[in-house]
Amino acid sequence: QVQLVESGGGSVQAGGSLRLSCAASGRTFSKYAMGWFRQAPGKEREFVAIISRSGGTTYYADSVKGRFTISRDNAKNMVYLQMNNLKSEDTAVYYCAADATYGSTRSSDFGSWGQGTQVTVSS
């Protein structure tokens, strides 16, 4: 229902930072909880972070908690993932995704997906 386009990926040294952005189409963006997922080659897609419709509630995977911050600006139809203290293990294609409700970390519960943006962290 919502078109999503990620940007902001790139290459960075371990310990560095990147900010990913996800632009959404439509005026119904605020009706969706938003999530970030990532997938490395040969690995399953894994949950990273989610944020509620209003942005008042967030939840993170243990592997990124304390380092990553998800946020959104509903007026601009944007969701962000600020990634600090990056590690080589964070290397993956990062995807933003939309769901009608907040509360799930399963990729199958998110109906709309972006194309992904590559994040490469070197040591």
Side-chain angles (χ1 to χ4, degrees), residues 6-99:
E6 303 95 336
S7 63
S11 298
V12 65
Q13 292 285 103
S17 299
L18 284 173
R19 188 194 191 200
L20 305 184
S21 299
C22 178
S25 64
R27 61 180 183 271
T28 61
F29 175 69
S30 62
K31 295 183 180 295
Y32 294 89
M34 298 294 299
W36 284 97
F37 293 78
R38 65 187 183 186
Q39 187 169 24
K43 296 184 179 294
E44 294 183 351
R45 187 169 298 183
E46 65 176 352
F47 163 77
V48 175
I50 50 174
I51 187 167
S52 61
R53 297 178 184 182
S54 67
T57 306
T58 59
Y59 182 72
Y60 300 89
D62 289 342
S63 59
V64 306
K65 191 172 184 177
R67 300 188 297 119
F68 291 10
T69 302
I70 187 172
S71 62
R72 68 191 298 164
D73 186 340
N74 288 345
K76 297 181 178 179
N77 282 11
M78 297 288 291
V79 62
Y80 307 97
L81 185 69
Q82 178 66 48
M83 305 185 295
N84 297 326
N85 191 24
L86 283 161
K87 305 175 180 179
S88 60
E89 305 95 278
D90 296 318
T91 296
V93 176
Y94 283 71
Y95 301 87
C96 62
D99 191 15

